[in-house]
């Protein structure tokens, strides 16, 4: 006999099971519908993305094909090479293709046969070293953020002009360039002269040497000679500095001197002030890296060969406690953490030094220096112009032209001669620092200009002036010829910026450069190294590497090329 409650309970379970099965089926159906809906949305998105990307690319491809056919079908004209940083060097902007890839516009749809190419170079944001490379004349506009620049392009030998506008982020918008001259006479000489293989010294050197034989022409004031050299009035007023006789005397002194004690000082942590028994003082430069000692020593040798007397007498020595020079300061050497057998450079102490600022004509982002600028200085026309009033800006008044302050025929004043003497020493400094690729002087200010616009008004790094003689002393040249050469890729634009703005030189310096170029500068430097050092020093301090010599020769050619460029521009002006 069946229990009715049991049957009813079982029937209830079967009904619940059927209800659960139907619920699962409904959930699966809804999940499938959601997945189908999601797939439909994704498919629609993918289709829209494809239409938005590939259709314009097809139009771009057609535009490129059309541009290539318009250029004669040559693909080489459209190739643009970039440097390792992925940016285009300024010197290659002139070689951009005339017709750039062009997206279809409404004009294209209306059936125009040709496209108007658009150059975006004017809107390119560039750094200062790119904008001002090879510039020799810069005119600043009234808004102080816009400048008109003239440059000499070494690639095609043209003088060009363009406008740049400085933005709030310190970068520059550069406008299109226009040519102001015909190809220079160098091109004519190069095209008719010998090839580089036939004349490895290069034809530009011969051009410069020929000009030394021309008749000298000096202005009435004795300030400018042959359009590009400092005249006799300035040369005779220059301080004497440290010549070959003083340098040889310092080398002989160290051979018999005895150090009394060492003091903390002379710049970096492990440098020391050296006090000798007779009270003479010197600075000893100690470095872990030998190349910085080489850089300091060979930069001094190069200054001697160029007859630049702004470098204090220096000589190399070895830390050897058994020699007379160091035997009395064993404890001081240990306290200084100097290691035995390490080379040092001992430089004579120069007193009465004060900081030296960068003159306005050598702040390349604003000024330049050529014979016309010198004339303005001698006539008092380089003084700052008074600020414009509202009426001036509206054109209601015509500002009077500046008149020369110095009466015709009057002698130059002492302040003017003092300024010219400073600028003449700076012209040597710029040439010297370019040759050795010195990073730790004016280039230091130029590099930091992008972050600090006021740094050009600060004193130059590692430069001092003797207060009694007005001699500029070129300090700390350890980055020259080796360390600086390794970093040319990063800093060469700044080195070139200084040189490209200079068109007045000391004739003796340029003549010495010509002589060194023709008489193996590397051999001359190493001969001086052999003559002024002992065998012990040469055991630990190698000569100047051949790689550095080759770079130096190239930079000598670059300076002589700048001299010739200035001669062409300012001759008979």
């Amino acid at each position: 006999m069946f229990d009715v409650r049991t049957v009813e309970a079982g029937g209830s379970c079967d009904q619940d099971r059927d209800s659960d099965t139907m619920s699962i089926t409904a959930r699966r159906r809804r999940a499938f519908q959601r997945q189908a809906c999601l797939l439909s949305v994704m498919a629609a998105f993918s289709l829209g993305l494809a239409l938005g990307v590939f259709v314009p690319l097809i139009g771009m491809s057609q535009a490129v094909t059309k541009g290539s056919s318009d250029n004669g079908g040559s693909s080489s004209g459209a190739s643009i090479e970039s440097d390792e940083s992925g940016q285009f060097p300024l010197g290659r902007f002139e070689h951009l293709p005339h017709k750039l890839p062009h997206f279809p516009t409404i004009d294209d749809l209306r059936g125009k046969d040709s496209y108007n190419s658009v150059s975006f170079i004017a809107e390119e944001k560039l750094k200062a070293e790119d904008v001002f490379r090879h510039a020799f004349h810069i005119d600043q506009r009234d808004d102080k953020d816009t400048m008109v620049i003239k440059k000499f392009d070494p690639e095609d030998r043209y003088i060009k002009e363009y406008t740049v506008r400085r933005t709030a982020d310190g970068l520059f918008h550069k406008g299109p360039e226009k040519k102001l001259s015909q190809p220079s006479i160098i091109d004519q000489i190069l095209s008719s002269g010998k090839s580089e293989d036939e004349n490895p010294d290069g034809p530009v050197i011969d051009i410069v040497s020929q000009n030394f034989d021309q008749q000298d022409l000096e202005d009435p004031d004795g300030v400018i000679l042959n359009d590009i050299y400092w005249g006799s009035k300035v040369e005779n007023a220059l301080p004497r500095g440290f010549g070959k006789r003083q340098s040889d005397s310092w080398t002989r002194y160290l051979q018999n001197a005895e150090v009394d004690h060492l003091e903390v000082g002379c710049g970096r942590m492990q440098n020391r002030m050296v006090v000798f028994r007779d009270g003479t003082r010197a600075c000893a430069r100690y470095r872990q890296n030998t190349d910085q000692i080489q850089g300091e020593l060979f930069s001094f040798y190069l200054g001697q060969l160029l007859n630049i007397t702004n470098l204090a007498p220096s000589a190399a020595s070895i830390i050897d406690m058994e020699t007379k020079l160091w035997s009395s300061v064993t404890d001081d050497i240990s306290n200084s953490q100097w290691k035995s057998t390490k080379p040092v450079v001992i430089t004579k102490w120069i007193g009465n030094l004060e900081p030296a600022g960068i003159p306005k004509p050598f702040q390349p982002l604003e000024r330049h220096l050529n014979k016309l600028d010198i004339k303005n200085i001698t006539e008092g026309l380089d003084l700052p112009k008074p600020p414009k009033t509202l009426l001036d800006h509206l054109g209601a008044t015509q500002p009077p032209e500046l008149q020369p302050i110095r009466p015709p025929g009057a002698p130059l004043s002492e302040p003017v001669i003092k300024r010219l003497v400073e600028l003449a020493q700076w012209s040597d400094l710029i040439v010297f620092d370019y040759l050795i690729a010195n990073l730790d002087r004016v280039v230091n200010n130029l590099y930091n200009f992008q972050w600090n616009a006021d740094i050009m008004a600060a004193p130059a790094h590692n430069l001092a002036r003797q207060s009694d003689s007005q001699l500029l002393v070129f300090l700390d040249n350890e980055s020259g010829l080796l360390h600086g050469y390794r970093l040319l890729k990063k800093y060469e634009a700044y080195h070139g910026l200084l040189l490209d703005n200079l068109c007045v030189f000391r004739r003796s310096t340029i003549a010495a450069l010509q002589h060194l170029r023709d008489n193996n500068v590397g051999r001359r430097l190493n001969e001086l190294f052999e003559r002024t050092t002992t065998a012990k020093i040469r055991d630990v301090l190698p000569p100047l590497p051949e790689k550095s010599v080759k770079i130096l020769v190239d930079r000598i050619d670059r300076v002589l090329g700048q001299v010739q460029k200035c001669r062409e521009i300012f001759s008979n002006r």
Side-chain angles (χ1 to χ4, degrees), residues 358 433 438-452 455-456 458-462 491 494-495 498:
I358 303 175
D433 276 1
N438 192 350
L439 306 174
D440 295 332
R441 202 155 16 239
V442 188
V443 167
N444 179 74
N445 292 63
L446 287 174
Y447 183 75
N448 288 284
F449 179 82
Q450 54 190 315
W451 297 289
N452 181 8
I455 197 169
M456 297 303 289
H461 200 223
N462 292 322
Y491 294 103
Y494 300 98
H495 296 300
L498 289 168

Side-chain angles (χ1 to χ4, degrees), residues 132 135-141 144 146-149 166 172 358-369 373 446 449 453-457 497 501:
F132 298 96
F136 65 86
H137 187 94
I138 302 176
D139 289 327
Q140 191 168 17
R141 295 311 191 205
K144 297 183 179 180
T146 303
M147 289 162 279
V148 177
I149 298 174
R166 185 170 182 172
F172 295 86
I358 303 175
K360 282 291 184 181
F362 291 115
Q363 297 184 14
L365 300 183
E366 300 177 7
R367 298 285 187 93
H368 37 80
L369 189 71
D373 300 316
L446 287 174
F449 179 82
D454 298 325
I455 197 169
M456 297 303 289
L497 181 61
N501 282 274

Side-chain angles (χ1 to χ4, degrees), residues 235-261:
E235 288 285 350
N236 294 335
L238 286 170
R240 296 184 62 182
F242 311 101
K244 180 178 181 299
R245 180 179 301 178
Q246 289 177 280
S247 297
D248 291 342
S249 176
W250 179 248
T251 301
R252 291 192 299 270
Y253 172 82
L254 292 179
Q255 292 173 354
N256 300 303
E258 184 177 355
V259 179
D260 182 74
H261 65 276

Side-chain angles (χ1 to χ4, degrees), residues 290-295 297-299 301 480-482 521-531 533-535 537-549:
T290 304
D291 62 352
Q292 292 177 310
I293 299 297
Q294 287 177 279
L297 188 62
F298 280 95
S299 294
Y301 290 155
L481 298 171
L482 288 103
V521 59
R523 178 175 56 81
R524 294 290 305 279
L525 286 171
N526 286 322
E527 284 177 353
L528 197 54
F529 177 58
E530 292 274 343
R531 182 173 66 83
T533 56
T534 63
I537 294 175
R538 294 192 294 274
D539 285 342
V540 297
L541 196 63
L544 191 64
E546 187 61 30
K547 183 178 180 180
S548 292
V549 173

Side-chain angles (χ1 to χ4, degrees), residues 264-474:
V264 175
C266 293
R268 298 194 181 184
M269 182 177 62
Q270 286 191 289
N271 289 356
R272 288 295 181 269
M273 171 78 73
V274 179
V275 182
F276 296 93
R277 291 289 188 188
D278 60 359
T280 301
R281 290 175 175 265
C283 278
R285 180 180 305 277
Y286 180 93
R287 293 290 181 272
Q288 295 294 334
N289 296 327
T290 304
D291 62 352
Q292 292 177 310
I293 299 297
Q294 287 177 279
E296 183 72 29
L297 188 62
F298 280 95
S299 294
F300 171 71
Y301 290 155
L302 180 61
Q304 282 194 302
L305 294 178
L306 294 176
N307 301 315
I308 295 177
T309 61
N310 302 82
L311 288 86
S314 300
S317 179
I318 293 294
I319 305 300
D320 185 355
M321 273 73 80
E322 296 181 0
T323 61
K324 178 182 178 182
L325 182 64
W326 303 106
S327 59
S328 301
V329 288
T330 302
D331 292 339
D332 288 347
I333 289 175
S334 178
N335 293 334
S336 302
Q337 298 182 356
W338 287 4
K339 295 180 180 179
S340 182
T341 71
K342 279 282 189 180
V344 293
V345 174
I346 305 177
T347 301
K348 187 176 181 180
W349 172 259
I350 308 299
N352 302 322
L353 294 182
E354 60 186 15
I358 303 175
K360 282 291 184 181
F362 291 115
Q363 297 184 14
L365 300 183
E366 300 177 7
R367 298 285 187 93
H368 37 80
L369 189 71
N370 53 56
K371 76 171 191 177
L372 303 180
D373 300 316
I374 298 301
K375 183 179 179 180
N376 288 338
I377 292 175
T378 58
E379 295 183 355
L381 297 176
D382 66 319
L383 300 177
K385 296 181 180 180
K388 287 188 176 183
T389 64
L390 177 60
L391 293 178
D392 295 330
H393 285 289
L394 294 175
T397 61
Q398 184 67 25
E401 294 185 0
L402 292 177
Q403 298 297 325
I405 296 177
R406 183 169 67 101
L412 297 175
S413 65
E414 285 300 321
V416 170
I417 294 177
K418 184 177 179 180
R419 285 188 62 190
L420 297 178
V421 166
E422 180 187 27
L423 294 177
Q425 294 181 83
W426 266 86
S427 67
D428 263 358
L429 172 63
I430 289 175
V431 170
F432 178 71
D433 276 1
Y434 181 82
L435 292 173
I436 68 174
N438 192 350
L439 306 174
D440 295 332
R441 202 155 16 239
V442 188
V443 167
N444 179 74
N445 292 63
L446 287 174
Y447 183 75
N448 288 284
F449 179 82
Q450 54 190 315
W451 297 289
N452 181 8
D454 298 325
I455 197 169
M456 297 303 289
H461 200 223
N462 292 322
L463 181 69
R465 180 191 294 106
Q466 258 191 320
S467 57
D468 52 351
S469 68
Q470 299 303 304
L471 175 74
L472 294 180
V473 183
F474 305 167

Side-chain angles (χ1 to χ4, degrees), residues 144-175:
K144 297 183 179 180
D145 289 326
T146 303
M147 289 162 279
V148 177
I149 298 174
K150 293 182 177 67
K151 78 168 186 178
F152 178 79
D153 194 326
E155 293 188 5
D156 58 12
R157 318 300 293 181
Y158 277 87
I159 298 174
K160 299 178 179 179
E161 182 182 80
Y162 53 89
T163 301
V164 296
R165 179 174 56 83
R166 185 170 182 172
T167 60
D169 55 6
L171 299 177
F172 295 86
H173 287 304
K174 177 177 177 291

